[in-house]
Amino acid sequence: GNWALFCATASFAFYPIVMSMLGMCFFMEGPQRDTEVTDLMRIFRRVEVIAFTFTALFAGLWVYQAYSRINESSEKHPILKSGMNIILKESREFYDNGKKWATEHISHFDFVHWISAHPIFAMNCMLNTLEPVISFYTKFVLTSMMSTDWMLNRVSNEKKFEFLTANRDLLPYDATSAEVETLSRSRAMRLDALVVAFGGAVEEDMDVSKERSRRARK
């Protein structure tokens, strides 16, 4: 119900969507020139800095508003202030008593005897425990199927760009043969960097580079 908290949550949660939309405007799904990559990364950094700055500002404003409202209410209503002190005191006592009770009962708890004494309640507890697990698993399977389909589509698109000359019409701009070869080398270099970043190894062989250039010219 607080506008500052809402703005902080929206700024932190939705800035990746803004970055995705900007990436689609810059043809992020295909090979890019070095200048375009530099400009896009600069824009992404600015969006991220702005989002985190606004999130911190709105979160701090929300904390300040909440603190000010509590102090103002306690000053205007002495009964509320005394009631808050009583609640805090009782909360501490309840926590201490609950901790003591839990320590005494858990150390002498017989699980089998408790189930035999409360079979229906134990069954309801087990079903209530399994329900969110099953729901999460079904949603996980559905999400995995959709993600697999998306990944297969991405792999197909990446395979197309290994043959840039044959798929030159997929580029959003007209490219010469020299530019196609440069784009192919840059793309291979970035993919190799991605492999290394995720713990893999790449082949630093000239024959591999020549084979990639030959594929790009087909």
Side-chain angles (χ1 to χ4, degrees):
N2 186 276
W3 64 270
L5 180 61
F6 172 77
C7 292
T9 305
S11 176
F12 186 76
F14 293 105
Y15 85 90
I17 299 177
V18 176
M19 296 175 68
S20 299
M21 296 175 64
L22 290 174
M24 287 188 289
C25 295
F26 278 81
F27 191 65
M28 189 174 57
E29 297 180 354
Q32 295 180 336
R33 300 183 177 95
D34 293 337
T35 55
E36 295 173 345
V37 175
T38 303
D39 295 338
L40 184 60
M41 295 306 298
R42 185 182 296 112
I43 293 173
F44 281 172
R45 282 195 294 268
R46 290 177 180 175
V47 171
E48 191 172 20
V49 169
I50 292 173
F52 277 95
T53 302
F54 274 96
T55 300
L57 290 176
F58 283 120
L61 181 60
W62 171 67
V63 173
Y64 174 76
Q65 288 179 347
Y67 180 76
S68 301
R69 187 174 299 175
I70 292 174
N71 289 336
E72 183 180 357
S73 299
S74 61
E75 292 296 335
K76 290 183 178 179
H77 305 282
I79 298 177
L80 178 61
K81 185 176 182 179
S82 59
M84 289 178 61
N85 294 330
I86 294 173
I87 291 174
L88 290 175
K89 182 180 178 180
E90 291 183 351
S91 298
R92 295 192 188 97
E93 294 178 355
F94 179 78
Y95 172 77
D96 295 335
N97 294 332
K99 184 178 180 181
K100 182 180 179 181
W101 180 88
T103 303
E104 293 177 354
H105 285 73
I106 291 176
S107 59
H108 302 89
F109 182 71
D110 189 352
F111 188 71
V112 177
H113 177 72
W114 182 84
I115 292 178
S116 61
H118 309 85
I120 299 177
F121 183 72
M123 181 64 66
N124 290 331
C125 290
M126 185 182 66
L127 293 177
N128 291 332
T129 304
L130 291 177
E131 181 181 1
V133 175
I134 296 174
S135 176
F136 171 79
Y137 181 74
T138 54
K139 293 177 181 178
F140 175 77
V141 171
L142 181 61
T143 306
S144 300
M145 293 172 60
M146 297 177 63
S147 301
T148 303
D149 182 72
W150 179 81
M151 286 188 290
L152 291 175
N153 187 25
R154 291 294 303 160
V155 170
S156 174
N157 291 335
E158 291 297 330
K159 190 66 176 179
K160 292 177 184 177
F161 292 119
E162 288 189 6
F163 309 95
L164 282 179
T165 303
N167 296 282
R168 189 179 298 181
D169 56 334
L170 296 177
L171 298 175
Y173 46 79
D174 295 331
T176 62
S177 299
E179 287 180 329
V180 168
E181 189 170 353
T182 302
L183 287 172
S184 178
R185 287 197 301 267
S186 300
R187 175 182 175 277
M189 180 179 63
R190 295 188 184 102
L191 289 177
D192 290 344
L194 188 62
V195 171
V196 173
F198 282 90
V202 296
E203 297 180 357
E204 297 293 341
D205 193 353
M206 293 299 296
D207 294 335
V208 176
S209 299
K210 291 179 180 178
E211 179 65 20
R212 286 172 176 171
S213 300
R214 186 182 63 81
R215 287 186 177 183
R217 290 192 294 268
K218 284 184 177 180

